[in-house]
Amino acid sequence: MNKSIIIKLHESVSKKTILFALLLVTVLLSLLLTKIDQAITRSGGMDVIYLQIAFSPKDFQIVLDTWGTKGIKKYLDNLWLDYFVTFISALFMMSAIAYFQRRRKLFSAENIGWYNIIFFLLPFFSIFFDYLENVLHHIIITDKKLNLVLIASISSSIKFLIIGSSLIYLLLSYFAVRKETREKKMEIP
């Protein structure tokens, strides 16, 4: 990927208004997904997370059995929404990371190290693994290809590792910005 494209993307998403707009949309979509998950599991079924980390055809089938036919249909009917939520959530994470990198002056045309690029783009990589997981879940459920469960669960696990790493980086950046802000206030006579 060309560095100038990355810099332009970084500048675009690092704006506070973009960050808060993406935060609002992410929260609203997450609430909607939570409601759908509750509808799927309403009659004592297991949460979607258990499907994501099943790792074996037997465990995957156990989750589906707890959902019943209606729950499975609801899951498949709303799977498209997860693609959109994944994209918006990743964009929000990229925006938050870009915002704090900009505040700390870690990302500019003069200062664009590989470390900063990787952490800025990390949430984008989680999209691939989430989309792969969703496609595999659809194939597994509709075509009864239970041999793909392990791949779907590994993809899901990688996605969670990427998101977790992004969140840790984001929290560290937040506290670093707070510390720098406090130190600047102390320097003013």
Side-chain angles (χ1 to χ4, degrees), residues 29-40 42 74:
L29 288 172
S30 296
L31 289 172
L32 180 59
L33 273 185
T34 301
K35 288 288 184 195
I36 292 168
D37 189 35
Q38 288 172 348
I40 291 170
R42 184 168 288 136
K74 186 128 186 115

Side-chain angles (χ1 to χ4, degrees), residues 89-146:
S89 299
L91 200 54
F92 163 67
M93 290 284 288
M94 288 176 70
S95 179
I97 288 169
Y99 175 77
F100 287 116
Q101 284 180 332
R102 188 176 55 120
R103 291 274 311 263
R104 297 184 67 208
K105 296 176 179 52
L106 294 176
F107 203 104
S108 63
E110 309 81 48
N111 182 21
I112 185 167
W114 64 270
Y115 177 83
N116 296 324
I117 293 172
I118 287 173
F119 275 103
F120 171 61
L121 294 175
L122 203 54
F124 181 77
F125 298 129
S126 72
I127 294 172
F128 169 76
F129 292 102
D130 200 326
Y131 283 13
L132 177 61
E133 169 202 324
N134 289 340
V135 167
L136 291 173
H137 281 178
H138 190 270
I139 292 169
I140 293 165
I141 294 170
T142 57
D143 296 341
K144 306 291 186 215
K145 302 268 187 190
L146 291 172

